[in-house]
């Protein structure tokens, strides 16, 4: 069974940067899609970014494009989210999630809908405040 563990969250000032890590164990991420989602108090969970592990293709939410970068290190079975130019509205719990491949598509496609992801990490808190 795939397990995901996020790390790297914390307190940062506006304009600062953080790099979140999503370490996978129990299975290789090959042919999975891995997404980052976030949820602020009183708001619905929203998609941040997604990466297809096999070919490295990426998807970003419009509000994060140009500030956030998703990447993967296949040797470490880990996905990262580099967050720059952070704003107070980026404050949220950030979750890593994974979609398993299937026989019809082989490579799981990126999706920004939380319900499409079967595996989830525990979340890591990101607080942007001065």
């Amino acid at each position: 069974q795939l397990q995901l563990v996020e790390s790297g969250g914390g307190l940062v000032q506006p304009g600062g940067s953080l790099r979140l890590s999503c370490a996978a164990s129990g299975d290789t991420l090959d042919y999975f899609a891995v997404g980052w989602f976030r949820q602020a108090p009183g708001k619905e969970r929203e998609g941040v970014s997604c990466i297809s592990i096999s070919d490295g293709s990426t998807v970003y939410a419009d509000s994060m494009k140009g500030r956030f970068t998703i990447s993967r290190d296949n040797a470490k079975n880990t996905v990262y989210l580099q967050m720059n130019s952070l704003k107070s509205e980026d404050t949220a719990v950030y979750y890593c999630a994974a979609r398993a491949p299937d026989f019809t598509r082989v490579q799981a496609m990126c999706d920004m809908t939380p319900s499409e992801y079967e595996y989830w990490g525990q979340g890591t808190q990101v607080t942007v405040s001065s």
Side-chain angles (χ1 to χ4, degrees), residues 1-6 22-23 32 34-39 45-49 93-99 111-123:
Q1 178 82 356
L2 183 70
Q3 293 184 336
L4 304 173
V5 178
E6 303 98 331
C22 174
F32 280 70
V34 177
W36 286 97
F37 298 82
R38 69 184 187 185
Q39 188 165 22
R45 190 167 299 184
E46 64 174 341
V48 174
S49 185
V93 177
Y94 283 71
Y95 297 90
C96 177
R99 302 181 72 202
D111 197 284
M112 299 291 273
T113 304
S115 62
E116 294 294 314
Y117 290 78
E118 302 104 317
Y119 305 98
W120 290 83
Q122 81 290 345

Side-chain angles (χ1 to χ4, degrees), residues 91-112:
T91 296
V93 177
Y94 283 71
Y95 297 90
C96 177
R99 302 181 72 202
D102 59 33
F103 287 103
T104 60
R105 296 178 293 182
V106 182
Q107 164 66 53
M109 301 299 293
C110 272
D111 197 284
M112 299 291 273

